[in-house]
Amino acid sequence: MTQNKSNKTDLYQHHDYYLLDELLTEEHIMAREAVQQWVKSSVSPIIEHYSNLAECPKYLFKELANIGAFGPSIPVEYGGGGMDEISYGIIMQELERGDSGVRSMASVQGSLVMYPIYKFGSEKQKMKYLPKLGSGEMIGCFGLTEPDHGSNPSGMITNVRKNGDHYILNGAKMWITNSPIADVAVVWAKDEEGTVLGLIVDADSEGFSAPEIHGKWSLRASITGELVFEDVKVPLENVLPNVRGMKGPLSCLNKARYGISWGAIGAALDCYDTALRYSKERIQFGKPIAGFQLTQKKLAEMITEITKAQLLSWRLGTLANVGKASPAQISMAKRNNVAMALNVAREARTILGGMGITNEYPVMRHLMNLETVLTYEGTHDIHLLITGMDITGENAFG
Ligand code: TGC
Ligand code: FAD
């Protein structure tokens, strides 16, 4: 499809109310500026068009690879960017400033497909898949959720049974980002003993299909589908050898949820930036609406909440850099920052009045996207229960 570019200039300016740049290195700031520039030139001009059509700008995969968005903190020799966790977070922030769906393309490829192969794969698997995934030559997806097992993936019924030199895979996964366009899927399934295994499944395998899910009002520029396995033969050598059990998929989620905590800040910053500029230009009752106390309350609360979220993710990044970010700390940041971004988007929408519901401005698109971000990678409520369990020692899930 032809790229339909808008003539509107993206006027976004970064907001750093607490001088957090002083806590960043030159590498972090360079990463932010490079990705911000790319988003301005390659995402902002096309994203409303693709969101309107509910179509994925698939050609961006190669460009995302070129800017180092896939696995920024995975070592270079394994197809990643060799950067630290803060650079990874900042890259996710800038991508989601453009669109949550574009950040999703990078999160899935880097944190949910490359990361498990890097972390749990054999050297042969790493060499076969990681360079192609890192360069965008191959697209990957991550299959954990099932039609009847979303928040409770341990209940999964997708299964494998051994048959000579291969496994036979049966079952179905639901809500899988990128599945209809993926070349390869990292799939989590139970073996005959009920142990969860990770498998690398090639999309051209017989019995593999990935129908698209239509009708989403959210994350419209990201493609989502099912994964259906009907007696799919998976060679034994495609099983990830270095992990067994639910800690496999759940540790990939740690990586992705951490990135989302930063990504949500990006969406919030874009909404705040848009509302601030609009409020200075929009005249009602003879003066800019920025001059009304009620507008100022909204803007002041937005930048306060954004700043708190920036501090949370920055601190989490410093912990992640030394391997000390706990899953529960990651849950707290994902939950807080996504809810914060959703509230900021809602308030920004009101500041824009009627214009707020149109695609003249990015706010309504962010608002709709964030409804997905609140749900995927563990819902808002599930993350609260993870914090609850961590602080009380009591499991309130089941
Ligand atoms: P539980 O019995 O607590 O634990 C089972 C085993 O896993 C270990 N574990 C973890 N390991 C690493 N990281 C974590 N975050 C971990 N959480 C638990 C645990 O230590 C235990 O290990 P072991 O050795 O003792 O066996 O597990 P549970 O089944 O009771 O689950 C708990 C719960 C509810 C927190 C978990 O199931 C959960 O997080 N549910 C939410 C599901 C979810 O987040 N799904 C996301 C699907 S992927 C997605 O949405 C991608 S969207 C991407 C995009 O487009 O950007
Ligand atoms: P449910 O688990 O049915 O939850 C419904 C409601 O019940 C929620 O409010 C939930 O918080 C609440 N609830 C559930 N259990 C409890 C409890 N114990 N206590 C209190 N409340 C509870 N998955 C993948 O594997 N790979 C992907 O790439 C992927 N991409 C996605 C892309 C999109 C656009 C979307 C929407 C989802 C994606 N997901 C993906 C799935 C996502 O992770 C799940 O939607 C999510 O984990 C929630 O599962 P569910 O939708 O089945 O909701």
Side-chain angles (χ1 to χ4, degrees):
M1 96 143 267
T2 52
Q3 296 164 32
N4 195 334
K5 291 205 169 194
S6 132
N7 293 323
K8 268 184 296 174
T9 310
D10 177 354
L11 298 170
Y12 175 75
Q13 286 182 338
H14 183 63
H15 298 274
D16 180 20
Y17 200 71
Y18 256 48
L19 310 184
L20 282 165
D21 276 5
E22 291 179 8
L23 300 173
L24 302 181
T25 63
E26 218 171 287
E27 181 180 77
H28 299 148
I29 292 174
M30 274 167 56
R32 184 176 74 216
E33 284 171 4
V35 179
Q36 198 176 107
Q37 222 29 63
W38 177 78
V39 166
K40 284 192 175 193
S41 62
S42 298
V43 177
S44 305
I46 57 102
I47 197 66
E48 296 295 349
H49 174 72
Y50 280 89
S51 288
N52 273 344
L53 291 179
E55 191 171 317
C56 174
K58 191 181 161 189
Y59 69 93
L60 288 185
F61 273 95
K62 279 270 161 57
E63 296 189 28
L64 281 162
N66 291 341
I67 61 161
F70 297 154
S73 56
I74 291 174
V76 177
E77 60 271 32
Y78 292 115
M83 291 186 266
D84 73 353
E85 297 296 340
I86 299 218
S87 292
Y88 160 45
I90 286 174
I91 291 172
M92 295 303 118
Q93 171 186 288
E94 293 308 314
L95 292 180
E96 194 148 359
R97 207 282 297 171
D99 188 74
S100 304
V102 174
R103 196 267 307 134
S104 259
M105 289 159 87
S107 292
V108 170
Q109 183 90 348
S111 301
L112 296 180
V113 181
M114 291 173 66
Y115 178 75
I117 297 174
Y118 160 66
K119 187 83 182 159
F120 306 124
S122 65
E123 210 50 35
K124 194 171 161 199
Q125 290 168 343
K126 291 182 201 180
M127 288 304 141
K128 180 170 175 193
Y129 291 101
L130 292 181
K132 287 185 180 164
L133 288 162
S135 66
E137 197 183 319
M138 253 186 184
I139 297 176
C141 68
F142 175 88
L144 178 63
T145 305
E146 299 189 351
D148 294 329
H149 301 95
S151 296
N152 178 28
S154 308
M156 70 175 73
I157 55 173
T158 296
N159 62 86
V160 286
R161 69 184 153 78
K162 226 179 206 166
N163 188 12
D165 63 353
H166 57 266
Y167 276 112
I168 303 282
L169 172 66
N170 278 291
K173 299 288 177 179
M174 177 81 175
W175 294 117
I176 308 304
T177 300
N178 296 339
S179 74
I181 56 169
D183 303 291
V184 67
V186 169
V187 176
W188 302 93
K190 284 183 180 163
D191 69 9
E192 286 114 322
E193 279 80 47
T195 304
V196 173
L197 306 181
L199 304 111
I200 307 173
V201 185
D202 291 318
D204 58 8
S205 310
E206 213 181 314
F208 178 108
S209 59
E212 185 173 350
I213 297 173
H214 294 282
K216 291 183 296 159
W217 284 119
S218 172
L219 225 66
R220 286 166 66 81
S222 165
I223 186 163
T224 316
E226 299 171 45
L227 286 172
V228 182
F229 313 110
E230 290 171 314
D231 289 331
V232 176
K233 274 186 175 180
V234 183
L236 294 188
E237 64 178 29
N238 279 31
V239 174
L240 296 173
N242 299 323
V243 76
R244 289 290 179 274
M246 280 306 290
K247 64 177 177 297
L250 293 174
S251 25
C252 306
L253 296 182
N254 294 336
K255 191 87 175 159
R257 290 166 176 172
Y258 163 73
I260 289 175
S261 84
W262 283 90
I265 297 171
L269 281 168
D270 202 39
C271 293
Y272 170 73
D273 182 72
T274 305
L276 181 62
R277 191 170 311 104
Y278 187 88
S279 71
K280 291 178 184 173
E281 290 166 2
R282 176 72 177 163
I283 311 289
Q284 286 296 288
F285 299 95
K287 67 178 193 179
I289 59 169
F292 298 122
Q293 284 184 351
L294 287 178
T295 310
Q296 289 187 6
K297 175 176 186 289
K298 291 177 187 179
L299 290 166
E301 285 179 352
M302 280 184 211
I303 194 62
T304 306
E305 292 308 314
I306 289 171
T307 302
K308 283 153 67 179
Q310 285 171 323
L311 285 162
L312 200 58
S313 282
W314 175 81
R315 175 60 184 150
L316 192 61
T318 65
L319 290 173
N321 273 342
V322 292
K324 280 170 59 181
S326 74
Q329 287 168 333
I330 294 170
S331 281
M332 181 184 280
K334 191 269 183 186
R335 178 176 187 274
N336 180 78
N337 292 8
V338 176
M340 174 285 294
L342 197 49
N343 287 334
V344 165
R346 284 183 184 138
E347 288 290 62
R349 217 288 304 146
T350 68
I351 290 177
L352 269 64
M355 290 310 289
I357 68 155
T358 71
N359 62 11
E360 275 294 296
Y361 294 91
V363 176
M364 192 72 184
R365 177 171 46 81
H366 283 306
L367 177 49
M368 293 193 297
N369 284 342
L370 287 163
E371 290 290 350
T372 286
V373 185
L374 193 81
T375 291
Y376 71 21
E377 299 270 5
T379 68
H380 187 67
D381 292 338
I382 289 297
H383 287 297
L384 176 117
L385 296 178
I386 291 173
T387 305
M389 185 165 75
D390 194 49
I391 58 179
T392 66
E394 298 287 341
N395 177 339
F397 291 108

